[in-house]
Amino acid sequence: MLQTIDIFLKRTSNKVGLFIAIYLLFALAIAVTRLPFLFSLKNLTVPISMLLCREILFFSFLGFLIMFSTERRYLLSLVGLCGIIAAQSLTEGQDPQLIVYGFRSLLTFLFIFCLPSQQRGFRVNSGVIDKVLIGLFFVNLFLQLTHFFLGNGFYAKLFWLNVNSRNPGFFFFPAASAFFTLVLFSLYASTKKILKKRETLFMIFSVGLCASITGVAGAGLMIFLNRRKMTMRNLVIAGIALGLAAGYLHLARLSMTGNTYLEETGGGRIKVFQEVMTSASLFDVGRFGKYTNVAANLTNGGVADSQYSATVGNLGFFWAMVVFLYMAWLIYQNYKSGENLDVIWLLLLCSFGLNVSETGPPVFLAILGRFIQTSNSSDKLVEFHGFEARNDSSG
């Protein structure tokens, strides 16, 4: 069976790199269609067919990845858990459309915790992945700087300077853009034994332009997790830069709502979480899918601006606890296997201020990075060199 799967991987993996590129170009092109609004220009309309195509690309690749590059027992446990939730949702009369929205969010969230296979997976040439990550980062930074100087002040102008306070780059929401930058940095850092000063400073600068509390906290986490790859001098410089980013964030948020921004941002999320907790039942999953961004935009779904609020709102107390315990078990299994958990810690942190499972390209790259980071753990992995694949000579 393993030999059959390895042959299948060999025959199809030469298309996977191209598939990844097509999805990212497609999804990011759709993401920037809302950016003209930030420049006082007419928004571009995206046909439903393009959005559907994006979703098909997203889940086709992730389905391939989890089916052929995930340890089987964890795959079966995931299928079993989701099957029970689906069956109970249907039994309780939930709208099938909302159930689809719910699994779109839940599966994406759980994908990232799955344990990559120690026998099969993907090994990406580090030079290629570096170029892709650096290219995505600088295109995003270019869009951020363009908005910084030329935007119409949708998130407010920075006092008397006539520049924009929050600058989201590819994405409409600054927190999603910050998460995107942090994921790129995490994947880039995972391929390096030593991080240079400019690499960390660029990351902090980009996150700082977003003026996102979640982003600045994530940048601090990335510095902490990669501290052994940095000299003490560079750690001090990074700490100073992080302080400056926090200072800019403070000024940017003051320009938006005044000195009540902490209460309105953090307090607002806590209030939403409290409302979700108050309205959630113990066992009922009859609202599964209601607390998703898609449902909020297309139906009368609820807005839960954190992954944790969304999970409790969609599943109720009992099944939310089951999911959280399942995640903890998967994290422990990854830890025992010696996997790089940086992206997981980043996702858990950013989930306090963002529906990370519905960010599209950022969470796609985060999941992909979990499998790329296994490249040194097996001699049977398929290698990409550009968009061509070959068998590892040791296999």
Side-chain angles (χ1 to χ4, degrees), residues 29-346:
I30 291 177
V32 300
T33 56
R34 289 198 289 178
L35 295 187
F37 180 68
L38 301 178
F39 296 88
S40 297
L41 300 173
K42 184 179 179 180
N43 246 20
L44 301 176
T45 301
V46 180
I48 296 296
S49 58
M50 291 185 66
L51 297 176
L52 182 60
C53 185
R54 178 191 63 185
E55 297 302 307
I56 292 173
L57 286 169
F58 182 90
F59 282 102
S60 294
F61 176 73
L62 293 186
F64 170 83
L65 193 66
I66 200 169
M67 286 293 292
F68 294 104
S69 299
T70 308
E71 291 288 354
R72 182 173 299 179
R73 60 177 174 146
Y74 304 110
L75 174 61
L76 292 175
S77 66
L78 177 62
V79 171
L81 175 61
C82 292
I84 294 172
I85 292 173
Q88 186 169 344
S89 299
L90 291 170
T91 301
E92 294 176 1
Q94 177 62 308
D95 183 351
Q97 185 178 7
L98 285 178
I99 293 177
V100 171
Y101 297 158
F103 278 114
R104 179 188 180 276
S105 176
L106 180 62
L107 280 174
T108 306
F109 189 53
L110 292 179
F111 268 156
I112 202 167
F113 295 91
C114 288
L115 186 67
S117 172
Q118 299 301 305
Q119 284 76 41
R120 302 177 308 280
F122 300 110
R123 176 180 292 165
V124 179
N125 179 278
S126 60
V128 172
I129 194 64
D130 284 355
K131 290 176 182 177
V132 171
L133 296 175
I134 291 171
L136 289 173
F137 172 83
F138 278 106
V139 172
N140 185 64
L141 182 60
F142 171 77
L143 293 173
Q144 286 184 282
L145 291 172
T146 301
H147 180 249
F148 180 74
F149 291 109
L150 302 178
N152 71 348
F154 176 81
Y155 292 105
K157 292 284 187 176
L158 191 62
F159 298 119
W160 65 91
L161 298 177
N162 201 36
V163 293
N164 286 274
S165 60
R166 307 187 73 187
N167 307 280
F170 274 120
F171 305 94
F172 187 78
F173 298 105
S177 182
F179 181 56
F180 179 68
T181 296
L182 293 170
V183 169
L184 293 178
F185 179 80
S186 177
L187 300 186
Y188 180 83
S190 70
T191 68
K192 304 295 179 184
K193 293 183 178 180
I194 297 175
L195 283 173
K196 298 178 182 178
K197 175 176 62 180
R198 65 173 180 269
E199 296 164 346
T200 306
L201 292 181
F202 269 124
M203 179 270 291
I204 296 172
F205 179 63
S206 177
V207 168
L209 285 174
C210 296
S212 165
I213 297 173
T214 301
V216 172
L221 176 65
M222 286 294 97
I223 292 172
F224 173 76
L225 292 175
N226 291 282
R227 63 193 183 280
R228 292 185 178 86
K229 299 180 181 181
M230 304 167 64
T231 65
M232 181 56 66
R233 180 174 179 273
N234 288 347
L235 272 174
V236 172
I237 293 174
I240 294 172
L242 194 62
L244 293 174
Y248 175 80
L249 182 154
H250 179 63
L251 292 176
R253 302 305 286 269
L254 282 178
S255 69
M256 290 177 59
T257 59
N259 57 12
T260 62
Y261 73 87
L262 281 176
E263 179 183 350
E264 294 181 10
T265 302
R269 287 194 172 94
I270 293 174
K271 183 178 179 180
V272 169
F273 186 72
Q274 289 174 337
E275 291 174 353
V276 170
M277 294 286 285
T278 301
S279 62
S281 62
L282 182 59
F283 293 103
D284 182 23
V285 290
R287 299 184 302 172
F288 186 57
K290 179 180 178 181
Y291 287 92
T292 58
N293 293 345
V294 182
N297 290 327
L298 301 181
T299 66
N300 61 343
V303 176
D305 53 358
S306 81
Q307 190 70 51
Y308 299 116
S309 296
T311 303
V312 174
N314 286 326
L315 297 173
F317 289 116
F318 176 77
W319 286 108
M321 184 59 63
V322 170
V323 167
F324 290 141
L325 290 174
Y326 178 66
M327 287 163 42
W329 176 66
L330 289 177
I331 291 173
Y332 177 66
Q333 297 302 320
N334 276 277
Y335 173 77
K336 283 204 310 181
S337 298
E339 298 295 327
N340 187 323
L341 301 181
D342 287 7
V343 169
I344 288 180
W345 303 137
L346 177 64

